[in-house]
Amino acid sequence: MHILLMTRGTPDTAARVVVDDSGAVSWGDAATVVNPWDEYSLEEGIRQAEQTDGQTTVLALGGELHLDALKHSLAMGVQNAILVDDEQLDARDSLAYARAAAAAVQQLADIDLIILGKESVDVGTDQHNVQLARLLGWPMLSYVSRILAIDEAAKTIRVERMLEQGLQTVRSRLPAVISVMKDINEPRYPSFMGIRRAARADIPRWSLADLGLASQESPAEVLEYRDLPGGDVSTEILAGSIAEQAEQLVARLLEEKVL
Amino acid sequence: MSAIFVWIESHEGAALPTSWEALGAGLRLAPAAGSEVVACVFGANAGEIAQEAAGYGATSALICEDETLTDFRLEPYAALLSQLVQERQPRAVMAVASSRGRELLAASAADCGSGLFTEVLELAADGDDLHVIRPVYAGKLWMEGKLSGPSPFVLLRGRSFPAQPFDSSASLTAERVEAVLDEAEIATKVESFTAAQGRINLGDAAIIVSGGRGMANNPEAAPADAGDETIWKAQHGFEHTIRPLAKVLGAAVGASRAAVDAGYIPYAHQVGQTGRVVSPDLYIACGISGAIQHQAGMRSSKIIVAINKDAEAPIFKLAKYGIVGDLYEVLPVVTETLKQKLGK
């Protein structure tokens, strides 16, 4: 079984992210790390490949920013990495990204299962996950909290999905795309040997032209990034005994009409 | 007249009330776009749900009650929505960005080659284009985006657009449509579903009471057979200190990543960058310091209350009202006071 994983470089969870003077997004000296949701999909891919004696490939699309996320994936134990090297993809919409990803999957030709993180924190969405599945014509199982079984011979997968109203058990045919939740596993830390192997790895780079894709207009585009409005919250610290504090709090909340 | 399609989400034959927010957003966009609002209702009980949609402002509805649509499944739902969009070329396609809404509109936008933005907070027509404001970088920044081309898709952040008041005398023009896929063409089969017991969904909750690392400071002594003492204290605190307050308020229970990672409460309760992003009317943070990744998940709440022992905790910078104190001393008194004032 050949499992495809995808990742991106995103600002460290604790980083302050701001818009700089040129209007570009900046996180200063803070580290660029693997998209936090991808740690779970990378781990799950490695585990499933181990159990099925399969292989894993991790793909990133966009500029140099994502190279360290690929190296981290290799250090965790993913076997192969590919960068679809086109900086424009970082500024394009989810459909352009999904089209490039789908073309890479078709180029690889033998992918049975794609495991993705629930969403990407930079773009704040998971729409590219679903769109990749759709462009490939494969089923999409999102918000997976547990893989119950993979039957390679019958080409089926059973998973548990975490939806707002409860847990759903679903069976699907393979190949399929799944996205996984944080609950699914405990991601490993890269081993020393893994880090050394990743540092030496020569990661192949594919261009959009290699994938037979031309640049195209995006129907969804970013006009500008903005810092959050606000900073105008003035905090009232409630004083007095605990009973007085509680009285005041309830009175304020009734005035605010939020109860 | 062109149409704005609004997908009405339902579960086990009943509409989810957040769908009325999407209708409300559609109605606000309709005059500038010169459109009418069309409710797209698929699955069990779609006919009745469409009548309810009329009360919330839809003037027509596209209905399909085919058996393949009884449980939400992406393939048959997306195939139908995509066909309707391609045939009828609506001015826009909208839904609330719930789990299902996100899947459906993303898939259908891909089928139609249309632009899509998710978690939209503000929406306006600009000539033939749509302009949106949405959070990016885990809520640390906003972006303004433009959707152009035919039939743009918009997924709205829940609780960001008001529903129109219900008018029981309103009616609409309903049209029944056929499903696109046969059961044999659908690759996914739902085997079972276990409803979350007595839990209020974080995304829909008007009030959320959340606990953090401070839950471990429970003064109660753990029993000898408790296993990990700290975990017992925190779990006991969620059950006997946070939950009673949540119950009085009709609130959902949330938690910080620190509390979830420490095993104090299941992941389904996590608010923040790798949990749920929420924007309730009232968010009460108890024993939560307010790490940036937690702020990312709750800072758009309308009123934030912080209760924390540490007066320097960053959470107080977001809070409109703060109490510096031990949550285990403060919350029981707040709960009792609320019971009296709310007559519960």
Side-chain angles (χ1 to χ4, degrees):
Chain A
M1 186 151 100
H2 191 174
I3 299 174
L4 183 77
L5 308 162
M6 291 183 65
T7 192
R8 299 174 63 71
T10 58
D12 183 67
T13 318
R16 285 217 172 273
V17 181
V18 295
V19 182
D20 70 16
D21 294 340
S22 70
V25 176
S26 164
W27 47 95
D29 296 333
T32 299
V33 300
V34 169
N35 171 42
W37 294 99
D38 294 344
E39 291 196 34
Y40 306 96
S41 49
L42 292 166
E43 175 66 35
E44 196 60 25
I46 295 165
R47 287 188 194 188
Q48 294 297 332
E50 281 166 358
Q51 284 167 23
T52 57
D53 202 19
Q55 62 163 322
T56 46
T57 297
V58 58
L59 180 69
L61 290 82
E64 292 288 319
L65 175 69
H66 307 298
L67 212 49
D68 282 346
L70 288 176
K71 294 215 162 177
H72 181 91
S73 311
L74 291 173
M76 279 178 77
V78 178
Q79 289 154 332
N80 317 294
I82 299 163
L83 178 65
V84 174
D85 185 10
D86 191 319
E87 263 185 15
Q88 279 184 34
L89 281 174
D90 287 323
R92 303 284 307 287
D93 73 348
S94 63
L95 208 43
Y97 179 92
R99 281 183 181 130
V105 173
Q106 275 150 357
Q107 185 102 334
L108 287 163
D110 64 345
I111 301 297
D112 303 291
L113 176 64
I114 303 177
I115 305 181
L116 304 172
K118 180 184 160 268
E119 63 182 58
S120 294
V121 297
D122 51 353
V123 289
T125 180
D126 56 356
Q127 64 200 52
H128 49 286
N129 290 352
V130 183
Q131 295 188 325
L132 168 60
R134 204 70 191 164
L135 294 173
L136 290 168
W138 296 2
M140 173 81 213
L141 302 167
S142 39
Y143 322 118
V144 169
S145 50
R146 209 145 55 102
I147 296 178
L148 300 168
I150 293 175
D151 185 334
E152 285 185 85
K155 290 204 168 296
T156 60
I157 183 169
R158 283 179 72 231
V159 302
E160 189 178 81
R161 303 176 63 218
M162 194 168 140
L163 302 174
E164 282 106 341
Q165 292 80 13
L167 285 177
Q168 184 191 57
T169 304
V170 196
R171 179 165 42 90
S172 169
R173 68 166 155 73
L174 292 174
V177 181
I178 72 172
S179 75
V180 301
M181 305 290 285
K182 177 183 160 171
D183 227 9
I184 195 165
N185 58 39
E186 186 81 34
R188 72 193 70 189
Y189 291 103
S191 66
F192 177 67
M193 290 300 289
I195 293 168
R196 278 186 49 179
R197 194 178 75 90
R200 286 199 305 267
D202 187 16
I203 295 175
R205 291 166 185 249
W206 295 356
S207 69
L208 288 184
D210 292 337
L211 296 172
L213 291 173
S215 189
Q216 50 200 322
E217 290 295 305
S218 284
E221 59 182 299
V222 178
L223 297 177
E224 64 168 19
Y225 291 101
R226 296 181 189 170
D227 288 319
L228 295 184
D232 56 350
V233 182
S234 61
T235 308
E236 183 185 354
I237 299 290
L238 304 174
S241 69
I242 290 175
E244 287 163 354
Q245 288 172 323
E247 285 283 338
Q248 290 176 66
L249 179 61
V250 174
R252 299 288 190 282
L253 297 180
L254 287 168
E255 281 165 27
E256 299 277 4
K257 300 193 193 315
V258 290
L259 295 184
Chain B
M1 190 192 258
S2 72
I4 293 174
F5 280 9
V6 176
W7 178 59
I8 307 299
E9 182 175 3
S10 59
H11 179 65
E12 294 177 341
L16 299 190
T18 46
S19 300
W20 314 136
E21 297 170 19
L23 274 183
L27 287 164
R28 291 210 300 185
L29 187 66
S35 306
E36 68 156 344
V37 174
V38 179
C40 298
V41 196
F42 309 151
N45 231 2
E48 271 181 45
I49 293 170
Q51 291 311 312
E52 202 181 350
Y56 288 101
T59 46
S60 51
L62 296 166
I63 296 170
C64 186
E65 290 185 334
D66 194 87
E67 261 184 36
T68 54
L69 305 171
T70 301
D71 285 320
F72 175 86
R73 281 183 297 175
L74 182 59
E75 301 159 85
Y77 272 66
L80 176 54
L81 181 61
S82 299
Q83 180 169 301
L84 292 171
V85 171
Q86 282 159 349
E87 280 174 5
R88 298 167 196 236
Q89 304 276 319
R91 173 69 181 80
V93 182
M94 294 165 54
V96 168
S98 62
S99 303
R100 298 183 181 110
R102 287 166 79 133
E103 280 191 315
L104 176 60
L105 264 60
S108 190
D111 292 350
C112 301
S114 292
L116 164 66
F117 280 120
T118 308
E119 296 283 338
V120 167
L121 301 168
E122 290 174 34
L123 173 66
D126 177 27
D128 289 339
D129 300 334
L130 294 178
H131 280 228
V132 306
I133 304 280
R134 63 180 297 269
V136 288
Y137 290 90
K140 293 172 186 173
L141 296 180
W142 279 4
M143 58 151 272
E144 181 178 351
K146 185 175 85 170
L147 291 165
S148 46
S151 301
F153 283 57
V154 180
L155 279 158
L156 308 161
R157 161 76 64 93
R159 308 187 53 76
S160 298
F161 294 85
Q164 182 169 292
F166 185 72
D167 173 2
S168 57
S169 67
S171 63
L172 51 60
T173 318
E175 179 185 346
R176 290 197 176 256
V177 295
E178 296 288 320
V180 174
L181 297 185
D182 291 333
E183 187 59 47
E185 295 171 290
I186 302 168
T188 46
K189 311 289 176 194
V190 176
E191 292 185 351
S192 66
F193 179 78
T194 316
Q197 287 294 318
R199 214 178 58 208
I200 298 163
N201 176 7
L202 279 175
D204 295 343
I207 304 178
I208 295 173
V209 184
S210 280
R213 210 190 296 268
M215 297 307 297
N217 301 329
N218 194 341
E220 268 183 89
D225 61 351
D228 186 304
E229 192 187 345
T230 309
I231 291 179
W232 183 92
K233 286 185 169 194
Q235 288 177 343
H236 203 70
F238 268 108
E239 207 50 49
H240 298 282
T241 305
I242 296 283
R243 228 174 250 291
L245 173 58
K247 198 174 164 213
V248 176
L249 292 168
V253 173
S256 69
R257 186 174 80 178
V260 171
D261 286 355
Y264 300 167
I265 189 164
Y267 167 59
H269 295 271
Q270 185 180 322
V271 171
Q273 184 160 298
T274 47
R276 293 294 300 269
V277 175
V278 298
S279 45
D281 295 336
L282 173 60
Y283 189 90
I284 304 180
C286 310
I288 292 178
S289 64
I292 289 184
Q293 73 90 24
H294 186 73
Q295 294 187 13
M298 46 65 79
R299 66 179 305 150
S300 60
S301 307
K302 286 192 189 77
I303 303 281
I304 295 168
V305 173
I307 298 165
N308 203 299
K309 274 208 255 194
D310 175 10
E312 302 299 315
I315 192 78
F316 285 116
K317 291 204 169 65
L318 296 183
K320 185 150 187 203
Y321 302 108
I323 294 178
V324 179
D326 183 341
L327 74 94
Y328 283 102
E329 292 173 10
V330 175
L331 289 194
V333 184
V334 172
T335 306
E336 276 312 308
T337 311
L338 276 166
K339 273 187 191 163
Q340 287 165 17
K341 300 273 180 193
L342 300 178
K344 288 189 182 173

